[in-house]
Amino acid sequence: SSSSAPAPRRLRVASDERLARRAYVESRQGTVMDMACACGSSGRTVARRVAAVAASRGAGKLRRCARHQALGPKVPVGCSKLGGRQGGLTLARSQNLESSSTPSTSPVVLDNYTDIVNNMTKAVLNGLKDDLTRMEVEFPPVLEADAYKNSSDVYIDANVQFAIALGRVLQEYDRTVQILLPDENEVRRARKIFGQALDMYDNISLGSLTGRGDVISDAIESVKGVFSFLDGQGSGSGQQGSAQDAQVDTYVVINASCSELVDLKKVVDGQRDRLLREQGGAVPDGWQEYKDEKSGRPYFYNAKSERTTWDRPVANEPAVVLMNLELETLRGDLGLVAFPPKDMHYDFLSSFKPVYFIRQRDYSKTITESPYLVNYSGAIYREYPGDWQVLLEETLGDRKYKPISSSKDRYTLFEAKETMMESMGLKGDETPALKFLRTGYQTCTWWEDPKDYDREASDNWRK
């Protein structure tokens, strides 16, 4: 480079969690920094990734360029890919894939995204280990403090980054990952923003649920493709692909709306139907077919995993991970005019098991003595294969939550709130009449109503 060129600014290595969080917030606002690497290269990188990696490796280490940071340390020849550190994520089999289902009593921090991504990845890996093919991951994609002032593009881009982070770890386990966005317009936008990061991974690609965008955008891209082909540059599609790519064994679905659940169902059911036709009437090894005496329906049992299902098992069925689709909100729209019917939950969404789940809420309770108004915060939390937990913030505002209850079954919002109030001693000697005035007649949503459980194709979403 020219001697007159300005020296690249160096990002100070974040030595504590506070700086990492600050860099994360700055990245959400579009902050990027120049950085230099010990290998001699320099370039631009998102501050959040640099700070998160630096915080995980400690201060004083050699700085690394964007490509070297993303790739992480090279796995030694002859060593298992399950060991070592992949960009700050500890992937030792004994620690990550043998997690205990016993509820933890240690505080849980819900605004540390390094821990969130680490725990989310471990939960998905444990799900894959147990042959789960339909999983849900739900956590706030942006900090709660920034939620109301950020645009929808911030949420969209954050989910793409988290999906890439998950895919990056899954490819270390020889998984081929495709990130599915709603349509080709979203794919083109994501490719423009995150193309450089995606080009570093051979086993991570972008695809869409519909394979189409709006007419004008598709026409413009078609013309561009023709000229690129004539110039000998190919179609310019990069690592984009369709949802029918036979080599893909893991799909990560992000940013889909309620109306787009129809397209998602077509993609997932289409994959399954194709594999069932290829499989014929046989069942995979380890499965046995039985008949329910009461209904006469066939069901299937795997003695090794102790799993029972009404659905005919399929060998090598791709895993589908729904990431931050806010299914609780989408379920609330089902059955309304211009939206899919409620059967979308009973027949399809009920089959997805939440493997990592955070639903945080703030509450207040009026009392008859000082301070007259009690504010408190809690969350429903789950990290597979652990139980569902109700968390209560230890000190309001510190964002550290302690587990106060656990269950094999999913808590409703009402049950979680009642558990928090009981733990804080706010229920007191409440008469049935006062309780009815406080809670009302309906204490659960329509999809949580136990009387309709027999309509569900699966109880995975509650377990």
Side-chain angles (χ1 to χ4, degrees):
S1 60
S2 174
S3 58
S4 60
R9 297 189 304 274
R10 291 181 178 267
L11 174 66
R12 185 179 65 172
V13 176
S15 59
D16 57 51
E17 184 180 311
R18 179 179 58 81
L19 291 180
R21 287 202 300 269
R22 178 181 176 185
Y24 167 80
V25 174
E26 290 174 349
S27 73
R28 291 288 183 247
Q29 300 170 349
T31 303
V32 293
M33 296 184 181
D34 291 326
M35 62 169 294
C37 176
C39 71
S41 65
S42 63
R44 298 178 67 80
T45 185
V46 178
R48 180 190 66 82
R49 171 176 290 183
V50 178
V53 174
S56 67
R57 294 174 182 168
K61 301 291 181 68
L62 286 177
R63 298 175 176 87
R64 292 155 38 113
C65 64
R67 178 175 178 82
H68 287 159
Q69 285 195 22
L71 292 176
K74 186 175 180 181
V75 179
V77 177
C79 295
S80 171
K81 291 184 179 180
L82 300 176
R85 296 183 64 83
Q86 308 296 330
L89 296 176
T90 305
L91 300 178
R93 178 186 295 272
S94 61
Q95 178 178 346
N96 292 65
L97 299 186
E98 300 296 338
S99 300
S100 172
S101 60
T102 304
S104 173
T105 57
S106 58
V108 180
V109 181
L110 299 184
D111 63 351
N112 186 326
Y113 277 83
T114 300
D115 290 343
I116 287 177
V117 172
N118 202 348
N119 294 333
M120 176 267 293
T121 304
K122 289 192 293 183
V124 172
L125 289 172
N126 277 307
L128 293 173
K129 177 191 173 186
D130 291 342
D131 298 325
L132 297 181
T133 58
R134 298 187 180 187
M135 292 177 277
E136 176 193 358
V137 168
E138 188 67 50
F139 58 89
V142 299
L143 292 174
E144 182 185 357
D146 300 330
Y148 291 102
K149 62 183 180 182
N150 283 326
S151 66
S152 59
D153 287 346
V154 175
Y155 290 85
I156 292 172
D157 295 344
N159 284 330
V160 175
Q161 291 185 59
F162 288 127
I164 294 175
L166 175 60
R168 171 184 152 204
V169 175
L170 293 182
Q171 77 162 4
E172 296 295 330
Y173 291 77
D174 299 324
R175 309 285 300 192
T176 302
V177 180
Q178 187 168 93
I179 302 171
L180 291 181
L181 292 101
D183 54 46
E184 285 299 309
N185 291 335
E186 295 280 357
V187 172
R188 287 191 281 263
R189 181 181 181 279
R191 184 66 192 172
K192 181 178 180 181
I193 298 174
F194 302 103
Q196 185 176 3
L198 289 166
D199 288 340
M200 291 188 288
Y201 308 109
D202 296 330
N203 293 336
I204 304 177
S205 62
L206 295 178
S208 67
L209 294 174
T210 62
R212 63 180 184 275
D214 62 81
V215 176
I216 296 178
S217 298
D218 285 348
I220 293 175
E221 290 299 318
S222 297
V223 173
K224 288 182 179 179
V226 171
F227 283 102
S228 297
F229 178 78
L230 294 176
D231 291 340
Q233 298 177 4
S235 64
S237 60
Q239 295 188 28
Q240 298 177 26
S242 68
Q244 300 299 326
D245 190 344
Q247 295 181 346
V248 175
D249 54 23
T250 307
Y251 295 95
V252 182
V253 184
I254 56 175
N255 300 334
S257 64
C258 184
S259 59
E260 288 156 347
L261 291 177
V262 176
D263 300 317
L264 173 61
K265 187 174 186 299
K266 289 180 180 178
V267 170
V268 176
D269 289 350
Q271 288 273 11
R272 179 177 175 82
D273 292 343
R274 177 178 60 83
L275 293 173
L276 279 174
R277 289 194 299 270
E278 296 175 357
Q279 181 174 292
V283 294
D285 293 340
W287 289 90
Q288 294 292 330
E289 182 175 351
Y290 300 89
K291 180 172 289 187
D292 180 44
E293 297 180 357
K294 183 177 180 180
S295 64
R297 292 176 56 190
Y299 68 94
F300 305 87
Y301 176 72
N302 189 311
K304 181 179 179 180
S305 62
E306 298 183 348
R307 291 179 57 204
T308 303
T309 177
W310 293 106
D311 298 325
R312 179 174 291 273
V314 178
N316 301 320
E317 182 177 5
V320 180
V321 180
L322 307 184
M323 177 178 285
N324 295 341
L325 295 192
E326 298 185 1
L327 292 186
E328 297 289 280
T329 302
L330 301 189
R331 287 185 175 104
D333 292 334
L334 296 178
L336 301 179
V337 177
F339 288 100
K342 293 182 178 180
D343 287 342
M344 178 64 69
H345 164 73
Y346 296 127
D347 299 338
F348 181 62
L349 296 182
S350 64
S351 62
F352 285 86
K353 178 180 285 292
V355 294
Y356 189 74
F357 188 90
I358 298 175
R359 183 169 64 182
Q360 187 271 336
R361 292 289 187 275
D362 296 326
Y363 302 96
S364 61
K365 167 71 173 174
T366 57
I367 56 178
T368 58
E369 57 188 49
S370 181
Y372 304 109
L373 182 66
V374 178
N375 297 312
Y376 59 101
S377 178
I380 301 175
Y381 182 78
R382 202 276 175 87
E383 181 184 339
Y384 184 84
D387 291 343
W388 290 88
Q389 294 180 312
V390 175
L391 308 179
L392 183 65
E393 192 173 27
E394 293 182 309
T395 303
L396 194 64
D398 69 355
R399 318 312 293 171
K400 292 183 179 180
Y401 295 77
K402 63 178 180 179
I404 59 175
S405 180
S406 64
S407 172
K408 295 292 184 182
D409 295 332
R410 180 179 187 149
Y411 291 91
T412 66
L413 272 177
F414 175 78
E415 292 171 342
K417 184 179 179 181
E418 292 290 293
T419 302
M420 297 174 205
M421 291 179 59
E422 184 175 357
S423 176
M424 298 178 66
L426 295 178
K427 296 187 70 173
D429 297 329
E430 193 174 42
T431 64
L434 288 177
K435 181 177 180 181
F436 177 81
L437 291 175
R438 178 175 61 84
T439 63
Y441 173 74
Q442 189 73 17
T443 59
C444 65
T445 60
W446 63 263
W447 61 87
E448 294 171 331
D449 197 337
K451 67 181 179 62
D452 291 327
Y453 282 175
D454 58 348
R455 299 181 58 183
E456 298 172 351
S458 172
D459 64 355
N460 277 347
W461 77 279
R462 295 186 277 110
K463 300 296 183 179

